[in-house]
Amino acid sequence: MNLLELNGVSKVYGSIYALRNIDLAVERGEWLAIMGPSGSGKTTMMNIVGGMDKPSSGTVILDGVDISKESAKNLTAIRRDKIGLIFQQFHLINYLSALENVMVAQYYHSLPDEKEALEALERVGLQDRAKHLPSQLSGGEQQRVCIARALINYPALILADEPTGNLDETNEGIVMDIFKQLHRDGSTIIVVTHDPEVAEEAQRTVVLEHGKVARIVAANGEAAAYYEK
Amino acid sequence: MFTALLAVAIGATVLSGLVTVYYDIPRQMMREFRSYGANLILAPSGGAASLPAGEAERALRYFPAESVVGAAPYRYKAAKINEQPFMLAGTDPAQARKTSPYWFVNGEWPQARGDALIGQNVADTIRLAPGGEFTLTGLNSEGEGFSRDFRVSGIVQTGGTEEAFIFVSLADFDGLIGETGEFDLVECSISASADELQGFAEQIAEDVPGVTPRLVRRVTQSEVTVLAKLQSLVYLVTVIVLLLTMICVATTMMAVVAERRQEIGLKKALGAANRSVAAEFLGEGMFLGGLGGVLGSALGFAFAQTVSVNVFHRPIAFQPLFIPATLAVSVVITALASLIPVRSATDVDPAVVLRGE
Ligand SMILES: Nc1ncnc2c1ncn2[C@@H]1O[C@H](COP(=O)(O)OP(=O)(O)O)[C@@H](O)[C@H]1O
Ligand SMILES: [Mg+2]
C-alpha cells in the first residue's frame, strides 16, 4: 500500500501555478528525491505533503487519510503524529539546548522524556553535545539535532528540504549516512535536493519543472545525467 | 520584551501611586480642614477658666433640637504616664465622635469606665497598642496625688495637638480630678448656614453671660467640590495611564510576535496546537504583568509618599492590600493587551518555516 498519493494536485498563487496537476505515489519505506530548478514548486509540494498548506485542487492521501480538505486543527494533529521535518536552515530554537530542542517536539506531541530525547541525540552521534546551545554547534551538528528532533516521535513520513544545502562535504557525508540508516530501518523519506550525489542515494528521483513532473528517474545515474544537462 | 516590562512597571507605578494618593487625599484634606466636625465652640466668658454646665445647656437650647448634630463637653488637666507629661481630657465619647468625625481611630472609642483613647504621640512615646494598659498619675483639683490604671481602647490620629492627649469619659475624669460641674469648653456641630449660625452666636453672647460662642470655619461646599473634582481627575489619569500601558504592551508584544514568526511557524509545523501557542504568549505576557506589578507597587508607594510629603507635608499610611490589587490589575491589563498579539501568533502559517525569510 502507498503511504502517500497525490492525485491531480495543483496550487495556484494568483495567476501563478506553483504546482500543476501533479500525480505521484510514494510507497511505504521508499526513499524519494525531488529535484528541479529554483521556483519549480519543490517547497510548495513539501508544504502540501507535510500538511502545512492545502492544494488549490486535487487530493492528497497520507496514510489512508485525505488531508487536502482537513481543518487546520486536524492538520496540526497530522503534522504532529505523522510528519518529521528537516530543514536546510535547521530552524533550531536558539535559546534552547540541543536536548531541549528535541524535547520541544516531544512536548507538542505527548510528554517530554529526557531519556528518550538523549537516545535520539545518541543515534545522530551527539550525546556529548546535549547541553550545548545551537550557537555552540557547527552547522553539521545543528542539522543532526534537527534530524533527531524530526525522528523523536517516530513519524510515518520524513520530509527534508535541502538538508545538505548548508553543509560541507564531510557533514554531508555524516547526514547521508544517517539517512541511509533510516532507510534501512524502513522509514519513508522524501528529500528535496539540488545535489545529484544526494539524489543518487534515493530509489527514485522526481524532477519538477514549472510545477509539473517533468520525469521520474530511477537511481541508475540518470538523475546526475539529467542535472548536468 | 524589556520595553513592555518597563511600560507595565511604569503603568503600575502611576496606578498604585495615584490610587494610594487618591485613597489618602480625603483623609489628608480632612486633616487640613480640621474644623469639618465642630463649627461652634462654647468657651468661658471673660477671664473665667471654665463654664458651668448649666450655662452651656442653656446656650444649646438656642438651637433647634434637630439641628444639633453633636455637642461634646471637654475638661482638661495635665497628667503623667511613666513621669512623661501629657494632657488628660475628659469628654462624652459618643458626642465627641459626632463633633470630630475626621478623627482616625485605630481601635475603639472608649465605651466602659477605665477605657482610654490615646493620641498617636502618646502611643509612640509610651509604646502602647490598642488593648495595652498604662498607669496614669497626677494631681486632682484639691492638689492630692492620684494613680489609676487604664486600658487603651484605641489610638487616635487627628493631625493636630490632640495626638498628645489622653481621652477618657467625663465620669472617669470627674472621678480622678473631682466633680466641679463645669467644662473647659464645649465643641458643637450644628447643621445651619453660616448666617444662621452667626445669628445664634450673637444671641447667645448677649443672653447667656457665662458663655462666649466662637464660630469655627467649616469645610465649605466649594472645598468639597474641589475634592471631588480632584478625585475624578485621578480617575481619569488612571484610566489614561492604563490605556497607554495597554497600547505599549500590545505594540511590544506585536513586535515580539513578528520577530518570532519563524519560531512560531516551526512550533506549529512540529504540531503545536493554537492553544499551546496562545498559552505560551499569554503566559509570557502575564509573567511580564506580574513582574511589572511587583516593581510598580514598590515604586508606586515611593511615588505616593513623595507626593504626599511634598504636597500635604505628611507621610502616607502603607496599604498592604494595594500590592495584590496592583499585581492583579497589572496581570489583567497585560493579558488584555496580549489578546491581539496572541491572535496574530496563532494566525502564523506553518508553511513559513520551509519558505524561509
Ligand atoms: N506564498 C506564495 N505566494 C505567491 N507565490 C508563491 C508563494 N510561494 C511560492 N510561490 C511561487 O510558487 C512557485 C514555486 O515556489 P517554490 O515551491 O518555493 O519553488 P522551489 O522550492 O522549487 O524553489 C514560485 O514561482 C514562487 O514564486
Ligand atoms: Mg524551495
Side-chain angles (χ1 to χ4, degrees):
Chain A
M1 196 188 121
N2 292 325
L3 177 66
L4 179 69
E5 273 178 37
L6 280 70
N7 303 309
V9 168
S10 297
K11 179 73 182 179
V12 192
Y13 291 110
S15 60
I16 300 169
Y17 271 82
L19 292 177
R20 195 188 293 263
N21 203 20
I22 302 273
D23 293 311
L24 183 70
V26 180
E27 280 176 34
R28 271 179 211 280
E30 187 177 358
W31 183 351
L32 185 80
I34 297 177
M35 296 187 80
S38 189
S40 59
K42 304 182 296 294
T43 299
T44 303
M45 187 158 137
M46 296 292 259
N47 269 330
I48 287 173
V49 167
M52 289 167 280
D53 210 347
K54 288 190 200 180
S56 309
S57 62
T59 58
V60 180
I61 315 288
L62 175 68
D63 211 5
V65 178
D66 182 0
I67 64 168
S68 55
K69 281 155 196 86
E70 285 290 0
S71 67
K73 196 172 167 221
N74 288 346
L75 281 179
T76 299
I78 287 164
R79 290 196 295 272
R80 184 180 65 210
D81 296 334
K82 305 237 152 128
I83 306 290
L85 289 170
I86 298 165
F87 311 99
Q88 180 176 8
Q89 321 283 352
F90 323 134
H91 291 305
L92 300 180
I93 297 173
N94 56 23
Y95 52 84
L96 297 180
S97 71
L99 184 68
E100 288 162 342
N101 264 286
V102 175
M103 285 162 72
V104 164
Q106 288 179 316
Y107 171 75
Y108 292 124
H109 181 266
S110 43
L111 274 178
D113 177 342
E114 188 168 335
K115 196 167 143 279
E116 206 181 355
L118 261 176
E119 280 166 13
L121 282 177
E122 213 172 303
R123 240 176 297 152
V124 295
L126 281 181
Q127 59 276 27
D128 326 327
R129 297 280 190 279
K131 300 286 177 225
H132 287 54
L133 291 175
S135 56
Q136 299 165 316
L137 298 172
S138 74
E141 288 169 337
Q142 290 186 49
Q143 187 58 292
R144 280 140 74 192
V145 176
C146 181
I147 294 173
R149 178 179 64 190
L151 301 180
I152 190 70
N153 297 318
Y154 303 100
L157 178 60
I158 296 166
L159 300 178
D161 196 350
E162 295 269 356
T164 58
N166 278 348
L167 301 184
D168 58 24
E169 226 164 288
T170 321
N171 281 300
E172 178 175 317
I174 296 173
V175 167
M176 287 317 291
D177 285 344
I178 296 172
F179 275 77
K180 284 175 203 165
Q181 184 60 45
L182 287 172
H183 177 57
R184 276 197 296 276
D185 293 346
S187 293
T188 310
I189 307 171
I190 302 181
V191 180
V192 168
T193 185
H194 276 113
D195 186 340
E197 280 181 42
V198 173
E200 270 307 295
E201 304 288 348
Q203 293 163 290
R204 282 194 302 161
T205 299
V206 173
V207 179
L208 289 183
E209 273 173 27
H210 305 298
K212 284 191 282 199
V213 177
R215 53 180 174 157
I216 300 178
V217 291
N220 54 10
E222 274 188 71
Y226 157 79
Y227 214 74
E228 273 151 20
K229 281 200 303 196
Chain B
M1 259 344 207
F2 180 72
T3 332
L5 176 64
L6 206 68
V8 179
I10 290 172
T13 301
V14 175
L15 173 70
S16 75
L18 282 182
V19 171
T20 307
V21 172
Y22 170 81
Y23 179 82
D24 246 51
I25 280 180
R27 276 174 51 197
Q28 303 284 15
M29 295 288 269
M30 292 306 173
R31 290 176 187 184
E32 297 304 306
F33 305 110
R34 292 194 49 252
S35 41
Y36 176 73
N39 54 353
L40 184 98
I41 288 176
L42 302 179
S45 288
S50 52
L51 73 159
E55 296 285 284
E57 257 165 56
R58 236 182 91 199
L60 280 173
R61 277 200 289 274
Y62 279 79
F63 303 103
E66 68 278 2
S67 72
V68 180
V69 177
Y74 281 95
R75 289 187 68 191
Y76 299 106
K77 184 92 172 101
K80 289 177 175 176
I81 306 174
N82 293 349
E83 293 307 310
Q84 302 257 15
F86 296 106
M87 190 60 85
L88 176 68
T91 186
D92 176 344
Q95 292 296 319
R97 192 170 187 166
K98 286 180 190 154
T99 56
S100 304
Y102 58 91
W103 285 11
F104 183 73
V105 174
N106 174 18
E108 300 289 334
W109 286 74
Q111 275 156 357
R113 295 198 56 165
D115 278 358
L117 179 70
I118 62 174
Q120 185 69 49
N121 285 350
V122 182
D124 290 345
T125 313
I126 314 294
R127 299 194 187 288
L128 279 170
E133 298 201 346
F134 62 90
T135 307
L136 192 72
T137 57
L139 298 176
N140 69 13
S141 52
E142 306 291 317
E144 296 157 356
F146 68 82
S147 168
R148 192 172 156 198
D149 289 343
F150 279 93
R151 190 188 72 92
V152 179
S153 65
I155 294 169
V156 65
Q157 282 175 286
T158 68
T161 50
E162 296 91 340
E163 293 191 2
F165 283 31
I166 301 154
F167 295 91
V168 299
S169 68
L170 263 181
D172 276 338
F173 189 96
D174 289 347
L176 288 176
I177 310 299
E179 201 170 343
T180 57
E182 300 199 336
F183 304 132
D184 289 328
L185 55 82
V186 180
E187 283 190 2
C188 309
S189 179
I190 312 291
S191 70
S193 73
D195 287 343
E196 286 170 339
L197 210 57
Q198 183 70 39
F200 288 132
E202 279 167 11
Q203 226 177 330
I204 292 168
E206 214 171 288
D207 294 356
V208 190
V211 173
T212 303
R214 277 204 330 253
L215 290 180
V216 178
R217 194 176 66 95
R218 207 178 198 176
V219 175
T220 63
Q221 194 51 44
S222 72
E223 283 162 333
V224 172
T225 315
V226 167
L227 191 66
K229 280 191 176 148
L230 209 60
Q231 293 190 344
S232 49
L233 189 70
V234 168
Y235 260 134
L236 194 70
V237 171
T238 304
V239 168
I240 290 173
V241 165
L242 286 184
L243 273 179
L244 285 178
T245 306
M246 275 177 77
I247 290 171
C248 191
V249 170
T251 46
T252 315
M253 291 289 279
M254 275 313 260
V256 169
V257 169
E259 203 175 286
R260 291 209 213 145
R261 250 173 82 81
Q262 284 286 327
E263 183 185 319
I264 298 164
L266 168 78
K267 286 176 174 171
K268 293 189 78 170
L270 290 178
N274 282 343
R275 205 161 15 89
S276 316
V277 173
E280 263 174 59
F281 274 91
L282 259 186
E284 232 170 278
M286 282 161 78
F287 175 75
L288 201 80
L291 201 63
V294 171
L295 281 175
S297 320
L299 291 175
F301 182 70
F303 167 71
Q305 188 70 276
T306 313
V307 168
S308 185
V309 166
N310 284 313
V311 178
F312 299 103
H313 307 288
R314 58 185 76 248
I316 247 170
F318 178 66
Q319 299 294 333
L321 253 176
F322 282 168
I323 292 183
T326 307
L327 218 71
V329 170
S330 307
V331 169
V332 168
I333 287 295
T334 39
L336 281 180
S338 303
L339 284 184
I340 296 172
V342 161
R343 181 62 199 264
S344 80
T346 57
D347 280 349
V348 170
D349 186 351
V352 299
V353 205
L354 276 182
R355 297 235 174 265
E357 283 80 355

